[in-house]
Amino acid sequence: NAYGRSDLLPVIGFGEYLTDVLARPNKSYRDEEIVRIASADLSSTPTRASFERTTRALSDLADECVRRLLDDERIAVIAMGKYGAQELNYASDIDVLYVGPEDATPAVRRLMQTMNGPPVIFRVDADLRPEGRDGPLVRTLDAYRSYYERWAQVWEFQALIKSRFAVGDDATGREFTALIQPFVWPEVLKPDAVEQVRVLKARAEAEIARRGLQTREVKLGIGGIRDVEFAVQLLQLVHGRHHPELRERSTLGALDVLGAEGYIGEDDAAELVDAYVFLRHVEHRVQLESGRQTHTLPEQDGKRELIGRAMGFHDLRSFENAFARTTAVVRSIHERLFYRPLLEAFATAPDIRFPADEAVERLTALGYDRAPRVRDAITKMTTGGSRRAKLMRAILPGVLGWMAETPEPDAGMVRLADVTNHLDAFPHILTMLRDEPPVAELLCRVVGTGPVLAGLLEREPSIVSVLGAEAPEQHPRVLALSMVRRATSIDAAVTTLRRFKDGEFVRIAARDLRAGDDPPAFLSVSAELSDVGDACIDAALQVAWNETTAKQHTAPSGSFAVVGLGRFGGRELSFASDLDVVFVFDGHDDESARRFHSTVSERIASLLGATPPIFRVDAELRPEGRSGAIVRSLGAFREYYERRASLWEFQALTRARHVAGDPSLTASLLEIVTPRVWPRELSSADVDEIRHMKARIERERVAKREDPRFQVKLGVGGLADIEFTVQLLQMQHGFAHPNVRTPNTFEAIGRLQDAGLVETRDAEWLREAYLLLNRVRNRMFLLRGLVTDALPSRDDEVERLARSLGYGRMSRSRFLERYMRVTRRARRVTDRLFYGED
């Protein structure tokens, strides 16, 4: 008589278990409530609201049963697991802890015996207590505190996330809740905390795999309920320490906050909510069908179809497809969240939520010098409800640590605020920063290493995305050409080319910064920068040629080429390098042809030099320098090199290579100069001239106030020592040993060694100095934004330089010691091989 017809039909129609409960002659309060809850559940569409209503009702029922049977008012019963989160299912154990005096143990035993039956009211499980089954059932507050301070494992604190005071002594329950907070949400997690949680999850998965239930187990199977819960709880353990809003007991409530506050993607959060609700409804129906504590879909098709129909599906196949899709989605998201490297990065991050009056002390302790400035930058990044602000709040603990390790932490934080302020329009970049911590860390390193890269990112925020990219699949030349061909105007072509170059510049520089104390990294950096230079020259040539042809209504016959010289020719560009080139054409050498090719050459330089410049093109190594024509015919080059060229011009051509245009024309030009660049014998007068030229350059270009020991290019053991030594040896031996004819200095050292022209030790010393000096030069440009070859004179600037090179904190002396040792060795080699001194 307690139920109406509409209540009984879904219950009787679902399965034997509920029908048996209804048929019991002396039905208990618990049985009546189970039937009532199940009736409402089975009569409803499986939604989040119906799930939350059902699980809350089951949890309230368990509370009431415990309350009615607890006969010692001194005890506080602490609900754990799904019971604590008020997410109980029909056949759940109720996980509990008991807090009270030790002499209350008999009352607890009586409670558990009655609850566990027979008949079973709810199975009570106290195994989550300290020491598990071996520990006492009841502990005092002090005993719990002592255990959590000394012995507790990470999984025990993970379990306490869902704990709540259920019934019993109210004061004791409140004290226990307060007691556990610093243990569940510590300032810093144990170093292996994240890994411990992952190991625990892996063990559970291994057991399910052993039993062959990976695809039928709703709770522990692949993509099952536990995948959602473990991912959520791990994120809570890591981030909830500093963000109380994440300290939600319920899985769905925690997902809501994680999505809303940017800790996971909103789409991921929504998909996990839908999946969790679906899987928990399936779990409920599996248990109602069998009347057992099970989480496994039945083997019989008929029973699975019954469960599917109770979920609203018309046939078994539709239900099984939905189940497979759901578990696949869960597994995919679980693997991204549960194994996210960001978790390790943040697990040991300090709390950033400190009062304003503590900011100076806390930020200084982290390594920041100008705390008010840093605090203002943090406020700018994290204030408000925008997606960007939420994300920055989520990753800020890691950001503070990463930025503190950069050469310029304070200025870097200000630059980061300026860059991220523009990222609201780029949600994919925000997602990348959250989900790929190496990219977020690299962004900190980039903006914390001077104004150059940060300025590029602020000017074009979309470039931040390249920090997560490796080298493009297509060659830069192909990319650049395709970009300018799609441009609808000259201005659009220049803008596109500038964006391309800036993106590649940032990507390459970021890779170099990531390399740390790795001198050989310069080789790949310089080669990639040179490829970008080639690409920009080639693209500018296409634009300039088409534009000039359109204006002059014709183009001369013959060919045109751009030849690289200097560091560009050697494919050894640095971040501050100009592109040294000469322009040459072949065919009719009349006024019209010269005018056309001059226009093209000048236009290449002006297109790439437009403000802000893409590259500065320097054509002053051409015959007669600035006073000479910017471009000459092949015949004019031949006449000049045969009659008027100086020795230094032939020395410069040891580093010549083809860059753009017609490669056969470049080959013809280099063939013309071969007898002088690679002579059968370099006379003693020529050797003396090269030596005098080097001395004159050093005398004229090194300022008197500069210490030559710390001049990277022209100082003792500097780049000029190495390059002049290598080029002299190449010119002396290039005729007899053609293999040493390479424009690349580093490669030339190896070839000279292979030819027996340089001893192994000398080659090693030259290589070591060459790599170190070039990296120092690169870093000085990134840190200062200025082209300079003198090491900083101030100690703090040298310290920043050393940190940028990967030497760590307080490394100024260590860096200078290495710099002096390396350059002294290089100078000893130069004295012997270049100056002929014993």
Side-chain angles (χ1 to χ4, degrees), residues 135-146:
L137 273 173
V138 184
R139 288 181 186 243
T140 64
L141 287 165
D142 287 341
Y144 274 105
R145 180 183 292 108
S146 177

Side-chain angles (χ1 to χ4, degrees), residues 369-540:
D369 296 323
R370 303 178 66 182
R373 188 182 185 196
V374 174
R375 185 190 59 214
D376 291 344
I378 292 172
T379 301
K380 179 179 179 181
M381 284 189 284
T382 60
T383 299
S386 68
R387 183 172 184 173
R388 182 252 314 161
K390 291 177 181 177
L391 177 131
M392 293 310 299
R393 286 197 293 270
I395 70 172
L396 194 57
V399 165
L400 279 171
W402 295 326
M403 191 67 78
E405 297 300 319
T406 67
E408 299 179 349
D410 303 88
M413 194 65 79
V414 174
R415 296 181 194 123
L416 181 65
D418 291 339
V419 170
T420 57
N421 190 48
H422 300 288
L423 293 183
D424 281 315
F426 304 96
H428 66 288
I429 294 178
L430 293 173
T431 299
M432 180 178 67
L433 294 178
R434 182 195 63 221
D435 294 343
E436 300 180 38
V439 177
E441 181 179 4
L442 190 55
L443 175 59
C444 291
R445 193 176 300 180
V446 163
V447 299
T449 307
V452 175
L453 300 177
L456 295 179
L457 295 179
E458 190 173 358
R459 187 172 76 202
E460 185 55 63
S462 64
I463 293 177
V464 173
S465 62
V466 307
L467 298 179
E470 295 298 326
E473 293 183 2
Q474 289 183 302
H475 191 280
R477 192 187 298 263
V478 176
L479 289 173
L481 287 172
S482 65
M483 288 177 180
V484 297
R485 285 168 182 160
R486 292 195 302 267
T488 57
S489 67
I490 300 296
D491 289 343
V494 171
T495 299
T496 299
L497 197 58
R498 180 181 293 112
R499 187 179 296 117
F500 159 78
K501 186 264 183 175
D502 289 349
E504 287 296 279
F505 189 94
V506 170
R507 181 185 64 79
I508 295 166
R511 282 187 58 198
D512 187 38
L513 294 176
R514 191 168 52 200
D517 185 17
D518 177 25
F522 170 74
L523 299 178
S524 60
V525 166
S526 60
E528 289 190 57
L529 283 173
S530 301
D531 287 342
V532 174
D534 289 357
C536 289
I537 288 284
D538 207 350

Side-chain angles (χ1 to χ4, degrees), residues 532-639:
V532 174
D534 289 357
C536 289
I537 288 284
D538 207 350
L541 169 57
Q542 293 292 314
V543 173
W545 190 275
N546 293 339
E547 180 188 38
T548 305
T549 300
K551 287 182 177 180
Q552 299 189 11
H553 306 294
T554 185
S557 60
S559 56
F560 179 86
V562 183
V563 182
L565 295 172
R567 301 181 71 84
F568 186 34
R571 298 190 77 245
E572 298 168 306
L573 279 191
S574 68
F575 293 129
S577 292
D578 295 343
L579 304 184
D580 291 314
V581 299
V582 293
F583 301 105
V584 57
F585 71 92
D586 197 14
H588 294 294
D589 186 4
D590 54 23
E591 180 61 29
S592 175
R594 289 192 291 272
R595 184 171 62 252
F596 181 93
H597 291 112
S598 292
T599 302
V600 169
S601 301
E602 290 168 354
R603 192 63 173 131
I604 290 172
S606 65
L607 287 170
L608 295 182
T611 306
I614 301 170
F615 275 109
R616 290 183 175 86
V617 177
D618 188 339
E620 293 186 13
L621 290 177
R622 65 186 184 266
E624 301 175 24
R626 292 183 182 180
S627 59
I630 192 171
V631 63
R632 292 179 185 237
S633 68
L634 183 63
F637 269 106
R638 178 182 291 107
E639 189 273 337

Side-chain angles (χ1 to χ4, degrees), residues 796-815:
D796 61 327
E797 291 184 349
V798 178
E799 174 68 21
R800 289 200 290 273
L801 174 60
R803 289 178 69 174
S804 78
L805 288 163
Y807 284 78
R809 295 190 181 192
M810 308 300 292
S811 56
R812 180 184 66 86
S813 297
R814 185 156 53 91
F815 161 68

Side-chain angles (χ1 to χ4, degrees), residues 294-367:
T294 180
H295 312 280
T296 306
L297 288 172
E299 292 187 60
Q300 301 91 335
D301 289 354
K303 289 187 176 183
R304 290 202 307 279
E305 185 172 6
L306 175 65
I307 291 166
R309 289 187 181 279
M311 289 291 296
F313 294 93
H314 298 296
D315 57 74
L316 176 58
R317 184 170 184 175
S318 298
F319 165 65
E320 290 186 331
N321 287 341
F323 184 83
R325 284 195 304 271
T326 299
T327 54
V329 167
V330 169
R331 190 60 169 192
S332 174
I333 299 175
H334 167 81
E335 289 180 341
R336 279 192 278 114
L337 301 182
F338 196 64
Y339 297 99
R340 182 189 286 178
L342 190 69
L343 298 174
E344 283 92 344
F346 288 172
T348 56
D351 191 351
I352 60 162
R353 299 174 301 104
F354 37 76
D357 58 351
E358 295 181 19
V360 173
E361 180 181 350
R362 299 290 294 275
L363 289 170
T364 300
L366 287 171

